[in-house]
Amino acid sequence: MSVGLAAFASLSAPAVAQETDNDSPRTMQTVTVTSTKREQTLQDVPVAVSVVDDSVIAKAQITDLNDLQSIVPSLSVGQLQSSANTNFVIRGFGNGANNAGIEPSVGVFIDGVYRSRSASQISDLPNIERVEVLRGPQSTLFGKNASAGVISVVTKKPSFEPMASVEGTISNYNGYRGKVYGTGPITDTLAFSLGGSFSKRDGYIEDIGDGPDTNERNRYGIRGELLFEPNEDTSFRLIGDYDTIDEICCGAVNVVNGPTGAVVNALGGQVVTGDLYKVGYNFGSTNNIDNGGLSLQGDFDLGKMTLTSITAYRQTSVEQNADSDFTTANLLSKNANQTDIDTFTQEVRLTSDTDGPVDWMVGGFYFDETVDIGNQIYFGDDFRGYADVLSLLSSGATPDQLLAGINAGAIVPPLSQIEAALGLPVGQVFGQAGQGLTERFGQDNTAWSMFGTVDWHATDRLTATVGLNYTEDKKNAYGNIVDTDVFSGVDLVALGFAQTLGNFGVDATDPAQVGAFAAANPVAFAGIQAAVQNPAQNPLLALQVLQFLPPFLDFPNAVEDGKSKDDKLTYTLRLAYDATDNVNLYASYGTGFKATSWNLSRDSRPFSSDFTPGSPVTSPGSSPIRDAGLAVNNLSVGTRYAGPELAKVFEVGAKLAYNTFAVNVALFDQEIEGFQSNTFSGTGFNLTNAGKQSTQGLEVDASWNATDNLLLTFAGTFQDPVYDDFTSTGIKIDPALPLSATNELDLSGQKPYDIPEVATSTSATYSFDVNSLASFVRVDWQYESETDYSDDPTNQALINDKHKISTFNASAGFTTENGLGVTVWGRNIFDDEYITVAFPTTAQSGSFNGYPSQPPTYGITVRKSF
């Protein structure tokens, strides 16, 4: 029998007591899982997997995948700036939000179909049977983008026995949820199921500005299935689903009100401070997501083997807009995104079905996806005034005084001075409302893989497993931007150069005059070139902080072809030994792979190998982009893409299971080379590869039927994460550096932010009968130790706070003999308040915003089965 670290059946379901007599031993419930693409009991499955079944989902009020982290400590789920940006992290590894070009490191599968982006993963699904969370790289069986783990959602198949259920929930914040589900036979060989759901709730973050309250819920979905079984050897399952989200989300509250806050106030705006559940916006952050698809699974019993085919097509459409300056001032009038994703997948596998000493599986997977993205970010009516006051803050006057002086004509701000120097209409060119970026990005991605596993049962107790997967991934990406932010295209180095040469009577726009001056005065000319790049000698460089949206170099181009191709052979090696009928031991080593991710955003920049930054007047030297005549003003270097991730994990553990008690203990050593890091800098997201990130630790899962009625569970992850080798290169410009410079931060040896060293989940469920009512009371506690909010020590010092979780949930209910169930529940019942993620505020240096935890929610759910 193969064994591996696993959660227990009792972690995900209440204890099942024998009903023969009071002296019968209590036994743990048996749960079937398919995490190895074979149907096995949880006790026998040879991978590290936690399982949450429908019983716990109902009792703990797990309404979506976001809530799952409260009972699976190795899993972290982050809700970011919109409903479509949800990030899944396992053992501290994971990404994939904020940029549709960045595929997740944690793969999400629903009924065997890969969901490539979070916008298609967060739907409320009817009639879930269980959720399996596989820890560590799972690339051998799941191939593409499973380098950190897998979340597999399994729903119930249509039944040939008629059944129906209806469920309704009323909760605080005017919350209403409903589900309906029905299944039954159409003929002797054809069964159907049909389910629908809706979820509505008012926002729990008050907007004191012009926008509505935010963080609401407004979701609808429908799902239909047909199960065709013409004979006992053949089965087809056709699934069609559609869901839509149309909600105001997600509020970013002020965490640190920096020096720019006073400028916002001077403009008549407001930065809401001191309240975790209040914001001030000009308009609500809208999210419209349509998601749907079809899948067909066929299973064919061929005698000594089973053939399985899963064909799927999915389409996701996202439209969203946000007030991304997070103030009541109209600094940004629009920050909108439209993303369309079309995905086709095909999997075929053969699985042995014999009683011999060898079990095997072989298969193939094909993936074809198109991503199209449109973005618009435009300045608002207050932006020019904001830029003018910001450029004068170093004078020592207050923002109110500066604004009054500008309006009275007593102070001429630098932007106006530059407009005049360039012969432009003063006050009418730079920083005007409606200026900004109109963007188009996208990629075509095809991938295929071949995989196989062999289990050799060397003895009745010893099993050796070898698994192999070869994956090839190709991407063709593009990016095109129309930039109307005039000031960001001004070369301030060249402007200072022209002013300096003008002092010598040289016209900087005349190459002949410049060349003659340089030839006659080589030392002086070199000194001028150096001086105009030094902020201490060229005061114009202080205005670089106002060049928020510098010009973009479109790709593909003559130098950058926009193409990537990756391939990798990954493998799994495992030895499993049944020491006794109750004690299983195992050791495994596995590798994982995630292909190149392209930065499909305005923050995509040429690599330093393709471009030498700097103003042309400073003679920056040869580079492919300059030599091809493609250089644009103020172009900086960064990354177009992050290269592949390569994961490794070594695990050893023991699993003990008895009638009333079970415990799993495992030691793991996991690392990812080239981890794809996506960090927000305040004006953009920096996509780069961490040289190496690793974690070593201990996982414990324990369940105990303390009495016939009381089930106690504990699960914990104790780890020591570290950046073994990581130099983070940003694109945000330090005012003390030349425009062409980038910031570098060496994080090697540092603990990554937002990865707790200790994460635990503890629960107690008491089941009892009152007359004919099957009743229960449940309490669970989620705990995470302190973590930083930022990898950057300077940012962390400004935030001056830590992220820590200690959240309690509770529920109680009963079910009658005729199928009527009532549950009263509460989540975060003791009001654990914290910021989940903090980040530099957009274009407001020194300020930070963050996403607050959900406040206490409570309600009553009534369910009737027929």
Side-chain angles (χ1 to χ4, degrees):
M1 178 175 62
S2 299
V3 298
L5 173 64
F8 314 107
S10 56
L11 176 64
S12 52
V16 177
Q18 300 282 352
E19 296 183 355
T20 53
D21 57 65
N22 292 335
D23 297 327
S24 298
R26 300 180 301 276
T27 60
M28 313 300 286
Q29 184 181 12
T30 299
V31 174
T32 300
V33 297
T34 54
S35 51
T36 58
K37 299 192 176 182
R38 286 179 179 272
E39 192 170 279
Q40 296 176 277
T41 65
L42 186 58
Q43 175 69 15
D44 296 337
V45 66
V47 295
V49 55
S50 297
V51 178
V52 181
D53 73 2
D54 57 345
S55 173
V56 168
I57 289 171
K59 290 183 177 180
Q61 284 295 301
I62 305 298
T63 60
D64 56 30
L65 292 182
N66 289 355
D67 293 334
L68 196 62
Q69 61 186 324
S70 65
I71 53 177
V72 181
S74 59
L75 173 68
S76 175
V77 184
Q79 176 71 67
L80 303 178
Q81 76 268 31
S82 72
S83 303
N85 283 304
T86 301
N87 206 22
F88 299 99
V89 177
I90 295 178
R91 289 179 180 169
F93 297 103
N95 55 21
N98 295 304
N99 186 330
I102 306 172
E103 296 165 281
S105 298
V106 175
V108 175
F109 293 77
I110 298 180
D111 290 321
V113 176
Y114 176 55
R115 302 286 185 98
S116 66
R117 301 298 191 283
S118 60
S120 65
Q121 300 165 355
I122 59 176
S123 310
D124 298 331
L125 296 174
N127 218 37
I128 290 179
E129 182 172 298
R130 65 183 180 274
V131 180
E132 304 173 11
V133 180
L134 288 74
R135 303 186 286 271
Q138 301 295 331
S139 296
T140 301
L141 286 179
F142 292 90
K144 180 179 173 67
N145 302 333
S147 57
V150 163
I151 299 172
S152 177
V153 179
V154 180
T155 65
K156 295 179 180 178
K157 294 181 179 180
S159 172
F160 286 92
E161 296 292 330
M163 190 278 287
S165 65
V166 60
E167 177 182 303
T169 297
I170 299 176
S171 62
N172 59 334
Y173 298 105
N174 290 319
Y176 299 93
R177 294 201 312 267
K179 288 186 179 182
V180 61
Y181 179 81
T183 185
I186 298 176
T187 68
D188 291 342
T189 58
L190 182 65
F192 83 98
S193 68
L194 182 64
S197 67
F198 74 91
S199 178
K200 294 177 67 70
R201 184 196 66 209
D202 290 347
Y204 57 77
I205 296 181
E206 179 185 356
D207 190 339
I208 67 169
D210 295 330
D213 292 347
T214 188
N215 285 47
E216 67 171 6
R217 276 292 178 93
N218 189 23
R219 304 182 178 189
Y220 299 84
I222 188 170
R223 178 183 172 96
E225 297 189 36
L226 291 174
L227 179 64
F228 180 49
E229 296 181 339
N231 55 61
E232 63 180 9
D233 298 326
T234 306
S235 173
F236 294 95
R237 186 184 184 188
L238 177 67
I239 303 174
D241 67 272
Y242 172 79
D243 59 84
T244 183
I245 295 175
D246 182 5
E247 56 196 27
I248 309 297
C249 190
C250 301
V253 300
N254 179 262
V255 176
V256 177
N257 187 15
T260 60
V263 182
V264 172
N265 294 336
L267 294 169
Q270 186 175 356
V271 179
V272 180
T273 61
D275 194 317
L276 204 61
Y277 300 105
K278 281 188 179 181
V279 296
Y281 293 166
N282 303 107
F283 56 88
S285 298
T286 55
N287 300 268
N288 295 281
I289 304 170
D290 293 316
N291 176 61
L294 288 169
S295 67
L296 176 64
Q297 177 170 336
D299 294 288
F300 310 91
D301 187 343
L302 305 179
K304 294 185 178 181
M305 67 187 71
T306 299
L307 173 65
T308 298
S309 170
I310 303 176
T311 307
Y313 173 77
R314 299 207 60 81
Q315 187 175 60
T316 299
S317 177
V318 178
E319 292 188 9
Q320 56 194 39
N321 189 20
D323 184 10
S324 293
D325 59 63
F326 310 118
T327 74
T328 60
N330 190 15
L331 304 183
L332 292 176
S333 64
K334 188 174 187 178
N335 185 10
N337 171 273
Q338 307 85 39
T339 298
D340 293 302
I341 303 175
D342 293 338
T343 308
F344 172 80
T345 57
Q346 173 66 58
E347 179 177 355
V348 178
R349 63 178 183 265
L350 277 172
T351 306
S352 67
D353 185 14
T354 64
D355 294 327
V358 176
D359 295 325
W360 53 266
M361 178 191 300
V362 295
F365 178 77
Y366 177 75
F367 176 90
D368 190 340
E369 181 173 81
T370 300
V371 178
D372 289 302
I373 304 169
N375 291 302
Q376 304 86 40
I377 182 168
Y378 301 144
F379 296 144
D381 295 333
D382 292 328
F383 183 81
R384 174 59 185 259
Y386 174 76
D388 281 340
V389 176
L390 199 63
S391 67
L392 296 166
L393 273 185
S394 60
S395 68
T398 68
D400 288 320
Q401 292 170 335
L402 293 171
L403 188 61
I406 293 171
N407 291 335
I411 300 175
V412 180
L415 293 184
S416 297
Q417 296 176 32
I418 295 175
E419 286 170 332
L422 295 175
L424 303 173
V426 176
Q428 301 179 38
V429 179
F430 297 152
Q432 299 300 297
Q435 290 182 351
L437 306 180
T438 302
E439 313 167 18
R440 295 298 307 180
F441 290 91
Q443 71 178 19
D444 293 324
N445 180 195
T446 58
W448 62 271
S449 62
M450 301 293 293
F451 60 88
T453 61
V454 175
D455 296 314
W456 175 44
H457 307 289
T459 70
D460 289 342
R461 294 188 176 273
L462 179 65
T463 298
T465 299
V466 176
L468 296 174
N469 181 298
Y470 176 79
T471 296
E472 180 181 275
D473 187 286
K474 295 180 180 179
K475 292 185 174 76
N476 292 328
Y478 69 89
N480 304 294
I481 292 182
V482 176
D483 188 347
T484 58
D485 175 14
V486 180
F487 180 67
S488 289
V490 174
D491 186 342
L492 295 172
V493 173
L495 192 57
F497 181 77
Q499 291 177 344
T500 305
L501 284 184
N503 295 332
F504 293 93
V506 177
D507 182 359
T509 64
D510 186 341
Q513 289 189 41
V514 175
F517 179 82
N521 306 277
V523 175
F525 186 77
I528 292 172
Q529 287 182 311
V532 296
Q533 299 179 77
N534 187 342
Q537 297 177 275
N538 182 2
L540 292 174
L541 298 185
L543 301 178
Q544 289 178 347
V545 295
L546 304 181
Q547 294 181 314
F548 296 112
L549 305 174
F552 182 86
L553 177 61
D554 294 349
F555 71 94
N557 52 56
V559 176
E560 303 168 296
D561 62 11
K563 296 180 180 180
S564 62
K565 178 181 177 182
D566 306 301
D567 63 276
K568 188 66 178 178
L569 179 68
T570 57
Y571 59 90
T572 297
L573 305 173
R574 183 184 301 111
L575 284 176
Y577 181 65
D578 296 349
T580 70
D581 291 342
N582 303 104
V583 179
N584 304 322
L585 308 174
Y586 84 99
S588 67
Y589 181 80
T591 64
F593 166 69
K594 176 185 172 184
T596 293
S597 285
W598 283 80
N599 191 346
L600 302 182
S601 79
R602 68 185 70 98
D603 311 305
S604 172
R605 295 287 185 269
F607 290 101
S608 58
S609 58
D610 290 326
F611 180 64
T612 302
S615 172
V617 302
T618 63
S619 303
S622 175
S623 65
I625 286 176
R626 288 193 183 278
D627 296 344
L630 298 173
V632 295
N633 282 351
N634 301 339
L635 182 63
S636 60
V637 296
T639 62
R640 290 293 194 194
Y641 57 80
E645 291 181 355
L646 303 176
K648 304 174 184 177
V649 64
F650 176 69
E651 294 181 358
V652 295
K655 180 163 60 173
L656 294 79
Y658 299 92
N659 283 342
T660 62
F661 177 76
V663 61
N664 290 347
V665 179
L667 294 170
F668 61 88
D669 186 345
Q670 184 171 331
E671 68 178 47
I672 291 185
E673 294 185 9
F675 178 73
Q676 294 174 359
S677 172
N678 191 42
T679 305
F680 187 62
S681 65
T683 54
F685 287 91
N686 307 327
L687 177 62
T688 188
N689 290 101
K692 180 181 176 183
Q693 180 179 337
S694 67
T695 184
Q696 296 82 38
L698 169 72
E699 288 175 330
V700 178
D701 292 293
S703 292
W704 179 34
N705 280 114
T707 71
D708 287 341
N709 305 98
L710 180 62
L711 170 66
L712 304 176
T713 72
F714 172 82
T717 299
F718 309 87
Q719 59 182 334
D720 182 21
V722 65
Y723 287 125
D724 300 273
D725 177 19
F726 184 21
T727 300
S728 176
T729 301
I731 62 172
K732 186 180 180 183
I733 303 303
D734 186 330
L737 297 174
L739 179 64
S740 60
T742 56
N743 297 325
E744 288 193 353
L745 184 65
D746 188 356
L747 302 176
S748 302
Q750 180 174 310
K751 174 187 171 183
Y753 81 99
D754 202 31
I755 303 178
E757 293 182 344
V758 177
T760 63
S761 176
T762 308
S763 77
T765 304
Y766 187 75
S767 302
F768 57 98
D769 293 333
V770 178
N771 296 324
S772 62
L773 302 179
S775 308
F776 78 95
V777 176
R778 175 188 168 90
V779 178
D780 64 70
W781 173 45
Q782 177 192 4
Y783 170 80
E784 290 185 6
S785 59
E786 286 186 344
T787 62
D788 287 342
Y789 280 108
S790 175
D791 280 333
D792 188 331
T794 302
N795 289 345
Q796 179 59 34
L798 287 172
I799 297 171
N800 194 29
D801 196 7
K802 297 279 189 177
H803 177 201
K804 183 179 180 180
I805 297 176
S806 182
T807 301
F808 288 84
N809 309 306
S811 58
F814 64 84
T815 302
T816 66
E817 290 181 335
N818 64 0
L820 176 65
V822 178
T823 301
V824 179
W825 55 268
R827 297 189 63 81
N828 191 14
I829 58 177
F830 296 131
D831 196 10
D832 183 24
E833 294 186 357
Y834 56 91
I835 295 294
T836 61
V837 176
F839 58 91
T841 308
T842 306
Q844 297 173 61
S845 180
S847 292
F848 288 82
N849 279 65
Y851 303 108
S853 59
Q854 183 169 292
T857 54
Y858 49 85
I860 182 170
T861 298
V862 179
R863 186 176 191 272
K864 178 69 167 100
S865 299
F866 303 93

